Amino acid sequence: DGGITQSPKYLFRKEGQNVTLSCEQNLNHDAMYWYRQDPGQGLRLIYYSQIVNDFQKGDIAEGYSVSREKKESFPLTVTSAQKNPTAFYLCASSKGSSSGANVLTFGAGSRLTVL
Amino acid sequence: GQQLNQSPQSMFIQEGEDVSMNCTSSSIFNTWLWYKQDPGEGPVLLIALYKAGELTSNGRLTAQFGITRKDSFLNISASIPSDVGIYFCAGRGTSYGKLTFGQGTILTVHP
């Protein structure tokens, strides 16, 4: 079955460390996204990529970095510059640019806790 | 940027009751999506709406794309315990790929 796989599910990090969250999709989707979810808030867009080797900052990109070297993969690095990294991180993908294609399919999420 | 207000923030209902929630936007949207998120999981798409006035059902769920294109409604009929979770609306304006999400409605269903 096609879907989006995020790993790890749970991750603990010490302050000052970088950490990379994995996101892989086998849906043959062109676009991929990273969202951050905090309790009581909606999903906030960190970065998105419409095509391989290209990505754009979302609304809260500071302290994060991404790469899109393969269509299937869109890893997110939470750097030590991110002041409040403890959150639930969601990766998503969508087909392409037409209105019916921008329905997002989400992964199961990764919960990052900074100790 | 675009703002979405989703209400209510939370609901506590008895099994069998009907539920209504809505989202309003400060700007016009071309697409409205409704998602449900179970605890510790990613959101799952419930209903997608693409035209003003569109009314779409998915089992006990019904959603409508408001005529003004600035709002959308989700109704759940005859709620059951497995309906518990967080329901999100999401809208897309003119910028490709950038959905704006509401804050979510936390639904609790008492047996």
Side-chain angles (χ1 to χ4, degrees), chain A residues 26-86:
Chain A
N26 61 3
L27 299 166
N28 198 33
H29 284 174
D30 290 315
M32 298 187 74
Y33 313 79
W34 275 103
Y35 287 87
R36 170 178 172 142
Q37 183 177 21
D38 295 285
Q41 298 192 35
L43 306 182
R44 293 184 291 169
L45 183 63
I46 304 173
Y47 268 98
Y48 66 102
S49 167
Q50 299 179 22
I51 195 169
V52 175
N53 292 322
D54 186 49
F55 49 83
Q56 287 80 40
K57 293 182 178 179
D59 301 317
I60 55 166
E62 185 176 353
Y64 300 98
S65 66
V66 294
S67 63
R68 187 84 186 278
E69 297 176 0
K70 298 186 301 181
K71 185 176 183 177
E72 302 80 14
S73 179
F74 192 41
L76 173 74
T77 296
V78 185
T79 76
S80 56
Q82 169 51 232
K83 300 302 181 186
N84 185 21
T86 295

Side-chain angles (χ1 to χ4, degrees), chain A residues 11-17 19 78-80 85 112-115:
Chain A
L11 187 61
F12 298 88
R13 188 194 92 176
K14 293 182 179 179
E15 284 191 23
Q17 289 181 336
V19 62
V78 185
T79 76
S80 56
L112 173 63
T113 302
V114 174
L115 304 173

Side-chain angles (χ1 to χ4, degrees), chain B residues 23-104:
Chain B
C23 278
T24 57
S25 168
S26 58
S27 56
I28 290 174
F29 280 170
N30 296 322
T31 301
W32 283 99
L33 306 174
W34 284 93
Y35 286 87
K36 181 195 177 192
Q37 183 180 30
D38 291 328
E41 298 295 328
V44 174
L45 181 69
L46 298 173
I47 293 177
L49 303 162
Y50 300 107
K51 295 192 301 184
E54 181 179 356
L55 184 71
T56 299
S57 293
N58 177 7
R60 294 178 295 105
L61 278 62
T62 301
Q64 184 164 23
F65 193 138
I67 292 293
T68 64
R69 295 169 64 191
K70 291 185 177 182
D71 57 6
S72 179
F73 304 87
L74 175 69
N75 296 318
I76 305 173
S77 63
S79 59
I80 59 178
S82 62
D83 289 335
V84 300
I86 305 176
Y87 291 79
F88 288 103
C89 62
R92 171 183 173 273
T94 57
S95 298
Y96 158 71
K98 292 187 69 176
L99 285 174
T100 300
F101 282 83
Q103 303 96 321

